[in-house]
Amino acid sequence: MNTVVRTRIPPSPTGENLHIGNVYAALINYVFAKKHNGQFIVRIEDTDRTRFVEGSEDRILDSLEWLGIAPDESTRVGGPYAPYRQSDRLPYYQKYAEELIQKNHAYYCFCTLEELTVMKEEQRKAGKIPRYDGRCKKLDSNESLKRKTAGEKCVVRLQVPDTGVTTYHDVIRGDISFENALIDHQVLLKSDGFPTYHLGVVVDDHLMQISHVIRAEEWISSMPKQLLLYTYLGWEI
Ligand code: GLU
């Protein structure tokens, strides 16, 4: 293989112990990297502050060490792409969220939790799949910026094309396509300035030069949003 192989696991410090699914993903990422003389990275995805568990990060790293799956780069051993904890990397996500807004690939959304609840309830009643209906996408961008600057609470959402399909090649499953019309206008940056998983994972996998993403297939459904981000930011998938 010509590429420098760099694999990763990005566990979230949200539980008492390292999840067995993370151990499995770690093992596969580790052996794949080692087989190709590459590096295995552990990045801590601690952006969901409501689920954060004190001490969990240490237990994750201790458990991996105990299992002999030692990362080449992590919050504990450092590395050339530090910091490896997402809460220490907020300026990166904010920068790329701004870039997406400027390129019209993302927009500010001012909807309150109550509005979103009503929206989804109505969609459910109408037999539709509940998803954000794009109402803030229609706002004038100068107007949105003014509201944001004035301190109104908002999030940044992904612009999703109304038509067409997003396709990618999965090494195990082959080509997988998603109807754009069914992709949710994902929140990328929350009102607390923290990214959601989708923005964080794309920005960091790119900046940390991850060559192969090996993860459980429950993440396949996240791919279209992440692919759109790669395309919008002009990055190689
Ligand atoms: N934080 C996710 C997990 O712990 C990472 C998914 C991924 O590998 O992109 O499973």
Side-chain angles (χ1 to χ4, degrees):
M1 201 171 295
N2 291 326
T3 345
V4 176
V5 171
R6 288 178 57 78
T7 62
R8 90 303 187 258
I9 57 156
S12 301
T14 51
E16 266 322 297
N17 292 305
L18 179 61
H19 190 274
I20 193 70
N22 284 143
V23 175
Y24 184 58
L27 178 63
I28 303 208
N29 276 281
Y30 175 83
V31 294
F32 185 76
K34 294 300 138 184
K35 178 178 171 186
H36 297 287
N37 297 316
Q39 294 101 39
F40 166 63
I41 291 111
V42 175
R43 183 175 67 230
I44 300 294
E45 292 195 340
D46 61 342
T47 56
D48 186 347
R49 304 313 286 176
T50 56
R51 294 173 58 224
F52 179 79
V53 173
E54 197 66 53
S56 178
E57 176 180 325
D58 267 332
R59 284 194 295 273
I60 290 171
L61 297 171
D62 289 345
S63 304
L64 288 172
E65 270 170 36
W66 178 77
L67 286 159
I69 310 176
D72 299 292
E73 297 166 30
S74 71
T75 47
R76 196 172 273 176
V77 296
Y81 299 90
Y84 291 92
R85 187 182 299 111
Q86 289 193 322
S87 58
D88 295 332
R89 302 175 59 80
L90 299 186
Y92 290 114
Y93 316 121
Q94 287 158 3
K95 172 183 158 201
Y96 291 112
E98 281 302 318
E99 184 179 323
L100 289 164
I101 294 231
Q102 251 140 46
K103 291 181 174 165
N104 210 19
H105 291 316
Y107 59 92
Y108 293 116
C109 169
F110 301 89
C111 291
T112 61
L113 195 59
E114 293 74 47
E115 280 175 89
L116 295 173
T117 312
V118 172
M119 181 192 304
K120 289 191 176 153
E121 199 41 52
E122 281 170 1
Q123 288 168 332
R124 235 177 255 124
K125 273 191 202 139
K128 293 186 188 153
I129 301 171
R131 63 196 273 266
Y132 186 66
D133 67 3
R135 60 183 72 170
C136 284
K137 183 174 151 176
K138 298 174 197 116
L139 297 175
D140 175 70
S141 52
N142 290 327
E143 188 55 35
S144 292
L145 194 59
K146 250 194 234 158
R147 285 171 69 175
K148 182 189 181 276
T149 317
E152 199 174 329
K153 222 174 154 186
C154 64
V155 299
V156 174
R157 279 187 192 273
L158 177 71
Q159 280 268 19
V160 179
D162 295 325
T163 56
V165 287
T166 295
T167 302
Y168 87 104
H169 184 77
D170 184 276
V171 176
I172 295 171
R173 294 285 196 100
D175 287 338
I176 303 184
S177 297
F178 303 86
E179 294 262 0
N180 288 339
L182 301 178
I183 304 173
D184 202 6
H185 296 198
Q186 178 68 45
V187 172
L188 300 175
L189 202 66
K190 295 177 270 190
S191 54
D192 60 3
F194 277 72
T196 56
Y197 159 69
H198 301 278
L199 181 64
V201 81
V202 168
V203 167
D204 287 345
D205 283 347
H206 171 73
L207 294 180
M208 295 182 180
Q209 310 242 338
I210 299 304
S211 62
H212 296 74
V213 170
I214 309 170
R215 59 186 164 199
E217 68 175 1
E218 71 202 61
W219 299 101
I220 287 179
S221 58
S222 301
M223 279 308 291
K225 296 166 189 172
Q226 297 180 16
L227 290 170
L228 284 175
L229 285 173
Y230 274 98
T231 311
Y232 290 160
L233 291 163
W235 294 341
E236 194 191 342
I237 291 163

